[in-house]
Amino acid sequence: MSGPATACDVLVVGAGPSGALLAAELRRLGVEVVLLEQRTDPSPGSRAIGLHPPVLAALEAGGATERILAGAARIPRGIGVVAGRTVGEVRFDRLPLRFPFVASAPQAVTEAAVSFGAPDPVRGVRVVAVEPAPDEVRVRAESGDGSVHEWIVRTVVVATGASGRRLVSGLVTGRSRAYPDRYLMCDLAEAPGEPSGTAVITLGAHGVAESFPLPGGGRRLVVREASERTGDPAGGSDAERLADAVATRMRSPELAAMVREAHPFGIRRALLDRMVIAGSVMVIGDAAHEVSPIGGQGMNLGLLDAATLAPVLAQERAVRLRSAGASERSRSSPEHRSALAQWERDRLASARTAARIAGLNTLLGRPWPHPITAPVGALLGGALRTPLARLPERAYAMGYDRRA
């Protein structure tokens, strides 16, 4: 870059899944868009693997769903296990959905699919200020060599992940909390003997242990640490603690023997009070709402933010060009402000619902007191054999999202 770039309708900050999808959809809808990314190279990936039915439906028009499903495992059901006994199941394939399953794919597959057709991101650029004015937004950024760049645009979308909240910290308030829970995770290239197309969730006295299908017969394993402490030499390495949990909680020494490494992670919850600032700055994805990955809805929320925002911004541009001419700046129409306000209400409501569900999942995944493990397991199993099973089925399929 050699100077300020002002000739674009929308500037998207962050080229992760949500930002890349938004940029691709805007370009598909005829909107000029610039995509900025602080990282100089594409990310190697993250924990997110599951794509839920509303997301698959929302991405279908742009072709991303077909590209994702070509490299994904399909999960139509999950089972709950307590004390080595299957107590019940949830089935997405009995819900009236266009895609009655969760698609499991490496994040690299998802990012490639949703970014197809997006402009190449301008990399190595760190945005340091976003300053909204009545008819424009001024954005300042720095490159690695210390040079400063400036954009003056109509609309800015912050899609940077949690770190992007710093860009709007003086413009909007929110709530944030870190959970004490710590987890270990690994991906196995193969997992002989695991039930095909089935997620296995083990609950009980030692905390949750999860096993999710991956493409090609692999499995993702996630366990809650027995202790809140990490790095305790007496507890062995991350991989050893994960293997021990798989062997004891999931009662699968075969899977445990395949664990070679493990990645620890913590969780937090953060929700902004608004996602639209001054009518010209939007915040999406983890920058706006960060929820526990236990339940797998964080990336899905961000993708739905992007998929639903793109047509709102495209429609505003079309109306503006018809009424004012391509080169004239004009204020947003009442119709656009109303559509944007409705988008914000829907996405905030969806994020709050997802956060509550994630919080419940986190609570259920903590160790249960030994005396109640058997009766709670029996109660859970009984509920899952009644029509009450439709509630978790709908919840885990993101059926309570406003987009669903």
Side-chain angles (χ1 to χ4, degrees), residues 288-316:
H289 41 64
E290 189 177 359
V291 302
S292 166
I294 306 303
Q297 297 190 9
M299 180 178 70
N300 288 268
L301 278 174
L303 291 174
L304 286 174
D305 291 346
T308 52
L309 179 59
V312 175
L313 297 181
Q315 181 62 27
E316 187 272 341

Side-chain angles (χ1 to χ4, degrees), residues 87-100:
V87 296
E89 68 173 353
V90 294
R91 299 193 65 104
F92 308 127
D93 55 3
R94 60 188 176 193
L95 296 174
L97 300 170
R98 169 83 173 105
F99 299 97

Side-chain angles (χ1 to χ4, degrees), residues 20-45:
L21 172 63
L22 179 62
E25 285 294 285
L26 288 173
R27 174 174 273 191
R28 183 174 71 87
L29 295 171
V31 178
E32 189 173 9
V33 57
V34 170
L35 181 60
L36 304 183
E37 173 54 56
Q38 181 176 340
R39 298 167 298 176
T40 56
D41 298 306
S43 169

